[in-house]
Amino acid sequence: MEPDRTSTQEDQGGTAPRTSGDSGSWSSKPEVDGRGPATVPSLGLRGTLLFLWRQLTSMQTALILLMLLAIAAVPGSLYPQRGVNPALTEQFLEENGAWGEFLDAAGFFDVFSSPWFSAIYLLLFISLIGCIVPRVGVHLKQLRARPPRTPSRLTRFAGHTRIELPGADAVALLERARRSLRRSRYRTEVREETSSRSVSAERGLLRESGNLLFHIALVGVLISIAGGTLTSYRGQVTVIEGDGFANSLTQYDSFESGAWFDEADMPDFRLTLDDFRATYVQPDEAGTVGEPRSFEADVVVSAPGEEDLSRTVQVNKPLHVDGASMYLLGNGYAPEVTVTDPEGSVVAEGPVITVPMGDTGYTSQLVIKAPDAEPEQTAVVGFFLPTGTIDEQGPRSLYPDALDPQLAVTVHQGDLGLDTGVPQNAYEVDISTLTPVTGEDGDPVLIRLYPGQEYALPDGSTVSFDGLRRYAAFDIAHDPFERWVLISSLVAVGGLILSLFVPRRRVWVRVRATDSGAVLEVAGLARSDDPSLEEDVRNLASALAEGQDGPHDATRETAQQRPSRAADDPVEGSAQ
């Protein structure tokens, strides 16, 4: 075998040793020649967990989770939510078939209580806590620490200005610099150096305080929202003029509460709707005819041991009582209808809540179920028309106010399916399983009634339109953490303003005594975007120079004009 030979080859202006052998490679440490490739040590379980924790608690991860939380909340605005409008949710499911079932299985109708939304929420909470805690400790140390020492070469920093001041007193000049910086809200520290003295100044720590305050307040918002979700309740109730509502679970049309809600905490009060008023754009007024202008509900709230409270509830002007807030959610008409069966028994009587169909005229759907009618159960189905007309388009209302109220209904008989035990919508009935009451010609009887009129059907049943009242729908809610959400949000906004608009900067002033006077050097360092720093540094240098007693002949050097003199200044520190 031929022995190894070492040769040299010029490589980029120099020589490089090369060892030839079986592998054709070389090493700076002969003792490792011939060994296999280096291997990366495994993290292990503890190292992997630590790596994942650091990734989770990084600010970048917190921002990503915050963005994901905002995106995850979008379906809550696009799709109806069971907790807010159960009827609309069921309607969406019926109309969308398999697509609706898929969305329901994925939790799109209960977004804010779904597992995936809760997971993002919890991860964001942990990420913020893990990010904030160490930063608070570091920031507290910064608040207690002295300003950083003056770098040895100020020529490297923003706005560097050097001024020779013949006849100047170095001690008085440095003291004037310290006072000037203190007046500008800088923390200052006078330092002795080898051949000079300097003032090290710093301000803007409030920027980091605001940043931390923003993140702490954001955690407060998350905690308050979570607490409100667990302890709050919300319910919807419909009240007809002249009727009342007692604040108990059995009185609500729909009700939703948090996992920690206690029924005993519900406030004891009774609400009575005295009057409901609605105004609309008239035909002779500017704007869309029939467009709502105002809705007002006059209510009386009674509580044990307290005087009755009379208030007017309006849209976006809720009524607040101890432990609950009442919002005006909707309104409509409740015509008073009486139905008798062929035997003459009254099987339905009183105001009937109608459901607006969404047109500008307030055409409303009316459904009356009479399960006690004989010989067959009876349903009255049709429309209430505030300002009615019946033409080739069918029954409809021309204007939302009750200028010409009418009923347009048909009567059906058969099994209403109320005895099956399956819950039904009180405002809907499936007439496909019922038989309409017909006239002598065999066609269904179409009934048109005005207030005060009664119609007798061929089988002896009667339907009468006795009067008209309005109703109002209220949303009653209580969230004990609501005020804390507001406070935390305001604190977060304040912290964000501080973190965005308070510049953090450092300024150094060095004075070196000479045989003829003193040499002044001023420079600064911005810890964030601070476009005015250079100008402020030069203005400070000018103010200190012009504040000397007696004439002087100053020569100035700016950062753009200075020559390199790194060897002239002793190294006394470095920028931190």
PDB file of all heavy atoms in Angstrom, residues 63-79 108 111-112 116-117 120:
ATOM      1  N   LEU A  63     -49.918  35.162  18.797  1.00  0.00           N
ATOM      2  CA  LEU A  63     -50.551  35.941  17.730  1.00  0.00           C
ATOM      3  C   LEU A  63     -51.282  35.034  16.742  1.00  0.00           C
ATOM      4  O   LEU A  63     -52.383  35.364  16.276  1.00  0.00           O
ATOM      5  CB  LEU A  63     -49.496  36.777  17.004  1.00  0.00           C
ATOM      6  CG  LEU A  63     -48.870  37.919  17.827  1.00  0.00           C
ATOM      7  CD1 LEU A  63     -47.750  38.575  17.041  1.00  0.00           C
ATOM      8  CD2 LEU A  63     -49.930  38.940  18.214  1.00  0.00           C
ATOM      9  N   ILE A  64     -50.678  33.889  16.420  1.00  0.00           N
ATOM     10  CA  ILE A  64     -51.332  32.946  15.509  1.00  0.00           C
ATOM     11  C   ILE A  64     -52.625  32.416  16.130  1.00  0.00           C
ATOM     12  O   ILE A  64     -53.668  32.327  15.465  1.00  0.00           O
ATOM     13  CB  ILE A  64     -50.374  31.789  15.164  1.00  0.00           C
ATOM     14  CG1 ILE A  64     -49.204  32.305  14.316  1.00  0.00           C
ATOM     15  CG2 ILE A  64     -51.114  30.687  14.416  1.00  0.00           C
ATOM     16  CD1 ILE A  64     -48.132  31.270  14.040  1.00  0.00           C
ATOM     17  N   LEU A  65     -52.575  32.064  17.422  1.00  0.00           N
ATOM     18  CA  LEU A  65     -53.774  31.570  18.091  1.00  0.00           C
ATOM     19  C   LEU A  65     -54.854  32.649  18.167  1.00  0.00           C
ATOM     20  O   LEU A  65     -56.046  32.350  18.034  1.00  0.00           O
ATOM     21  CB  LEU A  65     -53.417  31.068  19.494  1.00  0.00           C
ATOM     22  CG  LEU A  65     -52.612  29.769  19.556  1.00  0.00           C
ATOM     23  CD1 LEU A  65     -52.147  29.498  20.983  1.00  0.00           C
ATOM     24  CD2 LEU A  65     -53.449  28.601  19.047  1.00  0.00           C
ATOM     25  N   LEU A  66     -54.444  33.892  18.390  1.00  0.00           N
ATOM     26  CA  LEU A  66     -55.413  34.981  18.432  1.00  0.00           C
ATOM     27  C   LEU A  66     -56.094  35.144  17.067  1.00  0.00           C
ATOM     28  O   LEU A  66     -57.310  35.366  16.991  1.00  0.00           O
ATOM     29  CB  LEU A  66     -54.713  36.281  18.833  1.00  0.00           C
ATOM     30  CG  LEU A  66     -55.612  37.491  19.106  1.00  0.00           C
ATOM     31  CD1 LEU A  66     -56.580  37.197  20.244  1.00  0.00           C
ATOM     32  CD2 LEU A  66     -54.768  38.711  19.439  1.00  0.00           C
ATOM     33  N   MET A  67     -55.322  35.019  16.004  1.00  0.00           N
ATOM     34  CA  MET A  67     -55.898  35.099  14.664  1.00  0.00           C
ATOM     35  C   MET A  67     -56.835  33.912  14.411  1.00  0.00           C
ATOM     36  O   MET A  67     -57.928  34.088  13.848  1.00  0.00           O
ATOM     37  CB  MET A  67     -54.782  35.129  13.626  1.00  0.00           C
ATOM     38  CG  MET A  67     -55.283  35.244  12.190  1.00  0.00           C
ATOM     39  SD  MET A  67     -53.947  35.145  10.982  1.00  0.00           S
ATOM     40  CE  MET A  67     -53.430  33.432  11.203  1.00  0.00           C
ATOM     41  N   LEU A  68     -56.433  32.723  14.842  1.00  0.00           N
ATOM     42  CA  LEU A  68     -57.285  31.556  14.667  1.00  0.00           C
ATOM     43  C   LEU A  68     -58.586  31.693  15.452  1.00  0.00           C
ATOM     44  O   LEU A  68     -59.651  31.263  14.982  1.00  0.00           O
ATOM     45  CB  LEU A  68     -56.541  30.291  15.123  1.00  0.00           C
ATOM     46  CG  LEU A  68     -55.407  29.798  14.224  1.00  0.00           C
ATOM     47  CD1 LEU A  68     -54.728  28.582  14.847  1.00  0.00           C
ATOM     48  CD2 LEU A  68     -55.941  29.439  12.837  1.00  0.00           C
ATOM     49  N   LEU A  69     -58.507  32.284  16.636  1.00  0.00           N
ATOM     50  CA  LEU A  69     -59.720  32.485  17.435  1.00  0.00           C
ATOM     51  C   LEU A  69     -60.688  33.418  16.714  1.00  0.00           C
ATOM     52  O   LEU A  69     -61.909  33.193  16.720  1.00  0.00           O
ATOM     53  CB  LEU A  69     -59.352  33.044  18.812  1.00  0.00           C
ATOM     54  CG  LEU A  69     -60.485  33.087  19.835  1.00  0.00           C
ATOM     55  CD1 LEU A  69     -60.849  31.678  20.272  1.00  0.00           C
ATOM     56  CD2 LEU A  69     -60.091  33.920  21.046  1.00  0.00           C
ATOM     57  N   ALA A  70     -60.150  34.472  16.101  1.00  0.00           N
ATOM     58  CA  ALA A  70     -61.008  35.392  15.347  1.00  0.00           C
ATOM     59  C   ALA A  70     -61.632  34.693  14.149  1.00  0.00           C
ATOM     60  O   ALA A  70     -62.820  34.888  13.850  1.00  0.00           O
ATOM     61  CB  ALA A  70     -60.185  36.604  14.897  1.00  0.00           C
ATOM     62  N   ILE A  71     -60.855  33.867  13.456  1.00  0.00           N
ATOM     63  CA  ILE A  71     -61.393  33.131  12.303  1.00  0.00           C
ATOM     64  C   ILE A  71     -62.440  32.121  12.759  1.00  0.00           C
ATOM     65  O   ILE A  71     -63.488  31.947  12.122  1.00  0.00           O
ATOM     66  CB  ILE A  71     -60.248  32.425  11.554  1.00  0.00           C
ATOM     67  CG1 ILE A  71     -59.299  33.470  10.939  1.00  0.00           C
ATOM     68  CG2 ILE A  71     -60.792  31.508  10.470  1.00  0.00           C
ATOM     69  CD1 ILE A  71     -58.071  32.871  10.288  1.00  0.00           C
ATOM     70  N   ALA A  72     -62.176  31.444  13.885  1.00  0.00           N
ATOM     71  CA  ALA A  72     -63.115  30.440  14.384  1.00  0.00           C
ATOM     72  C   ALA A  72     -64.428  31.055  14.814  1.00  0.00           C
ATOM     73  O   ALA A  72     -65.471  30.377  14.829  1.00  0.00           O
ATOM     74  CB  ALA A  72     -62.486  29.675  15.560  1.00  0.00           C
ATOM     75  N   ALA A  73     -64.435  32.341  15.162  1.00  0.00           N
ATOM     76  CA  ALA A  73     -65.672  33.005  15.579  1.00  0.00           C
ATOM     77  C   ALA A  73     -66.539  33.418  14.397  1.00  0.00           C
ATOM     78  O   ALA A  73     -67.719  33.747  14.582  1.00  0.00           O
ATOM     79  CB  ALA A  73     -65.342  34.232  16.431  1.00  0.00           C
ATOM     80  N   VAL A  74     -65.983  33.399  13.185  1.00  0.00           N
ATOM     81  CA  VAL A  74     -66.739  33.837  12.000  1.00  0.00           C
ATOM     82  C   VAL A  74     -67.995  33.000  11.777  1.00  0.00           C
ATOM     83  O   VAL A  74     -69.070  33.551  11.506  1.00  0.00           O
ATOM     84  CB  VAL A  74     -65.828  33.831  10.754  1.00  0.00           C
ATOM     85  CG1 VAL A  74     -66.640  34.065   9.483  1.00  0.00           C
ATOM     86  CG2 VAL A  74     -64.752  34.899  10.895  1.00  0.00           C
ATOM     87  N   PRO A  75     -67.949  31.643  11.862  1.00  0.00           N
ATOM     88  CA  PRO A  75     -69.186  30.868  11.667  1.00  0.00           C
ATOM     89  C   PRO A  75     -70.294  31.240  12.645  1.00  0.00           C
ATOM     90  O   PRO A  75     -71.471  31.083  12.323  1.00  0.00           O
ATOM     91  CB  PRO A  75     -68.729  29.420  11.890  1.00  0.00           C
ATOM     92  CG  PRO A  75     -67.272  29.425  11.560  1.00  0.00           C
ATOM     93  CD  PRO A  75     -66.776  30.759  12.019  1.00  0.00           C
ATOM     94  N   GLY A  76     -69.939  31.763  13.814  1.00  0.00           N
ATOM     95  CA  GLY A  76     -70.958  32.188  14.762  1.00  0.00           C
ATOM     96  C   GLY A  76     -71.766  33.366  14.276  1.00  0.00           C
ATOM     97  O   GLY A  76     -72.880  33.607  14.750  1.00  0.00           O
ATOM     98  N   SER A  77     -71.211  34.127  13.319  1.00  0.00           N
ATOM     99  CA  SER A  77     -71.940  35.242  12.717  1.00  0.00           C
ATOM    100  C   SER A  77     -72.633  34.843  11.423  1.00  0.00           C
ATOM    101  O   SER A  77     -73.618  35.472  11.031  1.00  0.00           O
ATOM    102  CB  SER A  77     -70.973  36.403  12.442  1.00  0.00           C
ATOM    103  OG  SER A  77     -70.335  36.841  13.619  1.00  0.00           O
ATOM    104  N   LEU A  78     -72.126  33.802  10.755  1.00  0.00           N
ATOM    105  CA  LEU A  78     -72.692  33.392   9.469  1.00  0.00           C
ATOM    106  C   LEU A  78     -73.871  32.440   9.632  1.00  0.00           C
ATOM    107  O   LEU A  78     -74.792  32.458   8.803  1.00  0.00           O
ATOM    108  CB  LEU A  78     -71.613  32.727   8.614  1.00  0.00           C
ATOM    109  CG  LEU A  78     -70.418  33.603   8.219  1.00  0.00           C
ATOM    110  CD1 LEU A  78     -69.415  32.788   7.409  1.00  0.00           C
ATOM    111  CD2 LEU A  78     -70.881  34.814   7.420  1.00  0.00           C
ATOM    112  N   TYR A  79     -73.850  31.614  10.660  1.00  0.00           N
ATOM    113  CA  TYR A  79     -74.893  30.614  10.841  1.00  0.00           C
ATOM    114  C   TYR A  79     -75.674  30.891  12.123  1.00  0.00           C
ATOM    115  O   TYR A  79     -75.125  31.401  13.103  1.00  0.00           O
ATOM    116  CB  TYR A  79     -74.282  29.212  10.913  1.00  0.00           C
ATOM    117  CG  TYR A  79     -73.546  28.807   9.663  1.00  0.00           C
ATOM    118  CD1 TYR A  79     -72.154  28.807   9.609  1.00  0.00           C
ATOM    119  CD2 TYR A  79     -74.239  28.436   8.511  1.00  0.00           C
ATOM    120  CE1 TYR A  79     -71.476  28.442   8.456  1.00  0.00           C
ATOM    121  CE2 TYR A  79     -73.574  28.074   7.356  1.00  0.00           C
ATOM    122  CZ  TYR A  79     -72.194  28.082   7.335  1.00  0.00           C
ATOM    123  OH  TYR A  79     -71.525  27.730   6.194  1.00  0.00           O
ATOM    124  N   PHE A 108     -71.150  23.972  14.135  1.00  0.00           N
ATOM    125  CA  PHE A 108     -71.262  25.319  13.593  1.00  0.00           C
ATOM    126  C   PHE A 108     -72.494  26.057  14.111  1.00  0.00           C
ATOM    127  O   PHE A 108     -72.609  27.268  13.891  1.00  0.00           O
ATOM    128  CB  PHE A 108     -71.289  25.264  12.060  1.00  0.00           C
ATOM    129  CG  PHE A 108     -69.927  25.161  11.447  1.00  0.00           C
ATOM    130  CD1 PHE A 108     -69.175  23.997  11.578  1.00  0.00           C
ATOM    131  CD2 PHE A 108     -69.367  26.217  10.761  1.00  0.00           C
ATOM    132  CE1 PHE A 108     -67.919  23.884  11.031  1.00  0.00           C
ATOM    133  CE2 PHE A 108     -68.100  26.122  10.209  1.00  0.00           C
ATOM    134  CZ  PHE A 108     -67.380  24.946  10.343  1.00  0.00           C
ATOM    135  N   VAL A 111     -71.084  27.386  18.018  1.00  0.00           N
ATOM    136  CA  VAL A 111     -69.668  27.676  17.785  1.00  0.00           C
ATOM    137  C   VAL A 111     -68.925  27.917  19.086  1.00  0.00           C
ATOM    138  O   VAL A 111     -67.859  27.338  19.339  1.00  0.00           O
ATOM    139  CB  VAL A 111     -69.530  28.895  16.844  1.00  0.00           C
ATOM    140  CG1 VAL A 111     -68.084  29.381  16.819  1.00  0.00           C
ATOM    141  CG2 VAL A 111     -69.981  28.526  15.434  1.00  0.00           C
ATOM    142  N   PHE A 112     -69.458  28.755  19.931  1.00  0.00           N
ATOM    143  CA  PHE A 112     -68.699  29.216  21.094  1.00  0.00           C
ATOM    144  C   PHE A 112     -68.659  28.208  22.240  1.00  0.00           C
ATOM    145  O   PHE A 112     -67.998  28.451  23.244  1.00  0.00           O
ATOM    146  CB  PHE A 112     -69.275  30.555  21.571  1.00  0.00           C
ATOM    147  CG  PHE A 112     -69.292  31.594  20.487  1.00  0.00           C
ATOM    148  CD1 PHE A 112     -70.476  31.972  19.883  1.00  0.00           C
ATOM    149  CD2 PHE A 112     -68.104  32.153  20.030  1.00  0.00           C
ATOM    150  CE1 PHE A 112     -70.487  32.912  18.862  1.00  0.00           C
ATOM    151  CE2 PHE A 112     -68.108  33.092  19.010  1.00  0.00           C
ATOM    152  CZ  PHE A 112     -69.305  33.468  18.423  1.00  0.00           C
ATOM    153  N   TRP A 116     -63.629  22.506  19.279  1.00  0.00           N
ATOM    154  CA  TRP A 116     -62.507  23.124  18.560  1.00  0.00           C
ATOM    155  C   TRP A 116     -62.344  24.598  18.933  1.00  0.00           C
ATOM    156  O   TRP A 116     -61.228  25.091  19.046  1.00  0.00           O
ATOM    157  CB  TRP A 116     -62.680  22.962  17.044  1.00  0.00           C
ATOM    158  CG  TRP A 116     -64.052  23.248  16.509  1.00  0.00           C
ATOM    159  CD1 TRP A 116     -65.071  22.368  16.362  1.00  0.00           C
ATOM    160  CD2 TRP A 116     -64.540  24.505  16.040  1.00  0.00           C
ATOM    161  NE1 TRP A 116     -66.177  22.986  15.831  1.00  0.00           N
ATOM    162  CE2 TRP A 116     -65.880  24.299  15.611  1.00  0.00           C
ATOM    163  CE3 TRP A 116     -63.989  25.781  15.921  1.00  0.00           C
ATOM    164  CZ2 TRP A 116     -66.664  25.330  15.091  1.00  0.00           C
ATOM    165  CZ3 TRP A 116     -64.771  26.809  15.396  1.00  0.00           C
ATOM    166  CH2 TRP A 116     -66.092  26.569  14.994  1.00  0.00           C
ATOM    167  N   PHE A 117     -63.435  25.297  19.169  1.00  0.00           N
ATOM    168  CA  PHE A 117     -63.308  26.687  19.604  1.00  0.00           C
ATOM    169  C   PHE A 117     -62.752  26.751  21.027  1.00  0.00           C
ATOM    170  O   PHE A 117     -61.897  27.581  21.340  1.00  0.00           O
ATOM    171  CB  PHE A 117     -64.674  27.378  19.541  1.00  0.00           C
ATOM    172  CG  PHE A 117     -64.617  28.857  19.793  1.00  0.00           C
ATOM    173  CD1 PHE A 117     -64.395  29.750  18.754  1.00  0.00           C
ATOM    174  CD2 PHE A 117     -64.779  29.365  21.076  1.00  0.00           C
ATOM    175  CE1 PHE A 117     -64.331  31.111  18.989  1.00  0.00           C
ATOM    176  CE2 PHE A 117     -64.717  30.723  21.319  1.00  0.00           C
ATOM    177  CZ  PHE A 117     -64.498  31.601  20.261  1.00  0.00           C
ATOM    178  N   ILE A 120     -58.902  26.141  20.963  1.00  0.00           N
ATOM    179  CA  ILE A 120     -58.140  27.335  20.575  1.00  0.00           C
ATOM    180  C   ILE A 120     -58.134  28.339  21.720  1.00  0.00           C
ATOM    181  O   ILE A 120     -57.104  28.951  22.033  1.00  0.00           O
ATOM    182  CB  ILE A 120     -58.741  27.960  19.295  1.00  0.00           C
ATOM    183  CG1 ILE A 120     -58.655  26.977  18.132  1.00  0.00           C
ATOM    184  CG2 ILE A 120     -58.021  29.255  18.942  1.00  0.00           C
ATOM    185  CD1 ILE A 120     -59.363  27.454  16.877  1.00  0.00           C
TER     186      ILE A 120
END
